Each structure stands twice: as C-alpha cells, then as structure tokens.
Amino acid sequence: MSNTVGTGIRDDLVQPFLLEATGIRGRLVRTGPAISTILARHDYPQVVNELLAEVLTLTAVLSSLMKFDGCFTLQSKSDGPVKMLVSDMTSEGVLRGYAGINEEALAQLLERTDDPATLTLKDLTGKGYLAFTVDQGEHMERYQGIVELEGATLSECIQGYFKQSDQIKTGVLVKTENEGESWRSGGMILQYMPGEGGIQGRKDQDEETLTEDWQRSMVLMASCTAGELLDLDLPVTDLLYRLFHEEQVRVFDQKAILEGCRCSREKLETVIKTIPLEEIETYKVEGKIVASCEFCSRSYHFNDADIARLNSEEEVES
Ligand SMILES: [Zn+2]
C-alpha cells in the first residue's frame, strides 16, 4: 500500500524536498483534521493537547525522513504531571498518539499557575527522556535513539539528540495552534548527511562552506512564521519556493497523513490468553473484563464465555 499522492493535497500531508544547491534534504508537514481527530478522542487539558500536538507533528516529520518499513514511535517518559507522551506512525502514514497524565499533580500545577501558557516543558514533564524507535517487525533489528528532556521545547530536545549523537546536521521547527477542538500543526525538518553526496561536487566543499550553507538554510527555515506554515491558502510548494528558491528547492511527491489505530480484539485476545485465570478474576468489573485502547479510547468487552473460550484455546495450543 502506498500513500503517495502527487502534489495536489493541502492538508494532512508530508512534503519531501531537496535543496539542490547544497544537498540538504527536508520534509514539510502540515496537519489539521488528522491531529484534531486524535486529540478529540481524549479529554486532555489545553497544555497537554499542545504537547501531544507537537509530539504527533514531530513523529510525522521524523518518520518521513527515515527509510523503513514498519512503525516509528516517539515517546517521552518522565516524573512530572505529564508522565508520558506517545505517538507512532507507520510507513503507510497512519498516525496515532496519547498522553499519560498524573491527574492529581497536573491539577495542582494548573491550580497554582495564573497563566498555563507560561508553563515550561520542565514544569509539565519534569525530568525524563525522549526516545524514538523504529520497529520493522520481529525479525529486524530495532533502532532506538534517546535523549534527556532538557530543552525549552520537545523539538529542541530532538535537535539536541542529533547534535550529540553524530555529525548529521538536523534542524527542526514545529508550530501548532487551535481554535477550540480544531487543531492545526506544521513542522519542518532540514538534514544534511555528510558523505551522502547531494548534488555533484558537493563532497569537494570545505568545512567552512558546508557550515555557511547549513547556517543559511537554518536561518531561512527559522524565518518561516506560524502564519505561513499553517495557512491552508498557501500551498506547501509555494511556501517552500518562497523560503528556499535561492537554494534551488526541488519538491517530490507528497505523502498523505492518515489518522488511525491498529488495535483490535484479536490483539487483546492474544494478551488475555497469556494471563492466568486466577489473575483474570482480579481484573473483572461486574463479571466482565473491559480493556480500553489508550491510543483511540475504544473499549473491548470480554465476558466469562469469551474468557473460557480463550483459556481453552490456550490449552490446546500448548
Ligand atoms: Zn486503538
């Protein structure tokens, strides 16, 4: 299945591009309906929605830059009121996400804050880390990157990761906004991999020229306003030309971002089969097990007959 869609769509899309003058590659992400639907499945306070919108956008931006077949996951874990942020995207462009909250700690934090907009990333997440994983199925190696949650924004943490890890130059920009439950988000990433080539003759350039080229492109990216990034009336191809025409920007086919969840009754059944019957009893509420998917909030019900059937299937198999 391919989610490549040419260059015609305006929203929920990834636009790959290359700055031909320098060999710097990039992705521009614009999303609205998809993240609005994902956030509407939960009932988080505005400050949490803002963080999750950023995580979802970063997920789309980062996964679109990697070549893989499978699933890309971006996840934070920390000791503050927002103890977890999770988002994943498949190579087919299907995106989902949720936040894990310490309700009491968050309520207390919001209570003693006059303006929630002034809360920092540190106030909300506390100390912890941000990790990304590429999972390509059980027979393939998992790739994981990890960085401490030290930065003014999650995007800054990601940028810090690439800075500390190797010589791959990476710059990230994310802007989000909302009117009630209608969210818009935009993201951009620039990356230069030494030795990857880029345009012909690129490898002959000296370090100073490379640094200048990189800094110039970063300044151009930083000049992109939230208004431009999120404006549906400004096609992404026009925006990229406006920003990078002197860098000879070339655009490739867009990819659609689709909102969706991969949970299923079958997957939960596999989990239930592994739990001893005595333990299952302790999870029952009013004689049933109700399991909810954290990503999409969908509930699955298992009654005694279901559990007995699953339990007998397990015995036959073992
Ligand atoms: Zn689900």
Side-chain angles (χ1 to χ4, degrees), residues 35-296:
I35 58 162
S36 299
T37 305
I38 294 167
L39 296 175
R41 291 223 163 97
H42 308 280
D43 190 19
Y44 304 134
Q46 171 79 10
V47 285
V48 178
N49 277 335
E50 282 168 9
L51 284 180
L52 189 53
E54 188 177 359
V55 167
L56 289 162
T57 311
L58 282 169
T59 300
V61 161
L62 289 167
S63 70
S64 69
L65 203 57
M66 297 182 182
K67 287 191 186 102
F68 69 100
D69 235 343
C71 188
F72 173 93
T73 304
L74 183 63
Q75 175 167 10
S76 75
K77 259 193 185 158
S78 55
D79 62 6
V82 181
K83 53 188 183 177
M84 197 194 276
L85 292 156
V86 193
S87 164
D88 68 24
M89 189 172 190
T90 66
S91 33
E92 281 88 37
V94 182
L95 182 69
R96 59 179 189 172
Y98 73 91
I101 302 170
N102 179 335
E103 306 271 357
E104 206 184 315
L106 184 62
Q108 285 171 2
L109 176 66
L110 292 173
E111 210 163 275
R112 58 173 191 264
T113 310
D114 294 330
D115 178 9
T118 61
L119 290 171
T120 64
L121 179 63
K122 190 125 219 150
D123 293 336
L124 291 162
T125 63
K127 266 180 85 74
Y129 65 86
L130 186 63
F132 58 89
T133 317
V134 177
D135 192 346
Q136 308 188 82
E138 52 183 324
H139 302 300
M140 298 283 284
E141 207 175 323
R142 278 162 71 100
Y143 173 72
Q144 188 165 42
I146 194 158
V147 66
E148 277 184 50
L149 275 171
E150 279 179 359
T153 62
L154 293 161
S155 312
E156 219 172 81
C157 297
I158 287 291
Q159 210 155 298
Y161 166 78
F162 285 104
K163 214 169 199 172
Q164 75 176 30
S165 64
D166 41 39
Q167 330 87 318
I168 304 173
K169 292 182 191 297
T170 303
V172 194
L173 174 86
V174 172
K175 310 265 187 198
T176 62
E177 66 174 24
N178 74 302
E179 270 184 47
E181 292 201 345
S182 174
W183 285 79
R184 297 214 47 75
S185 176
M188 209 187 315
I189 192 165
L190 290 181
Q191 194 165 69
Y192 179 69
M193 294 220 191
E196 201 183 42
I199 61 159
Q200 256 184 339
R202 184 71 211 149
K203 278 184 228 168
D204 302 334
Q205 302 278 15
D206 57 83
E207 193 60 34
E208 203 176 314
T209 315
L210 282 176
T211 308
E212 273 173 21
D213 285 350
W214 176 252
Q215 283 170 351
R216 192 176 60 248
S217 300
M218 286 290 282
V219 168
L220 292 172
M221 178 169 81
S223 75
C224 178
T225 64
E228 289 173 309
L229 198 55
L230 304 174
D231 180 7
L232 277 179
D233 291 328
L234 176 63
V236 287
T237 44
D238 291 2
L239 171 57
L240 287 172
Y241 185 75
R242 184 187 286 182
L243 293 170
F244 298 116
H245 62 99
E246 281 179 8
E247 306 297 314
Q248 298 162 36
V249 61
R250 179 176 161 200
V251 296
F252 303 93
D253 279 351
Q254 296 170 347
K255 288 189 179 290
I257 295 174
L258 312 158
E259 167 282 317
C261 195
R262 302 189 302 285
C263 65
S264 70
R265 191 173 175 87
E266 288 69 32
K267 278 188 192 165
L268 280 170
E269 286 183 351
T270 331
V271 177
I272 289 174
K273 278 183 194 175
T274 65
I275 306 172
L277 265 185
E278 313 84 79
E279 204 182 321
I280 286 188
E281 286 303 315
T282 67
Y283 297 135
K284 278 188 184 171
V285 178
E286 292 172 1
K288 279 186 306 192
I289 286 192
V290 179
S292 295
C293 173
E294 290 186 283
F295 280 100
C296 69

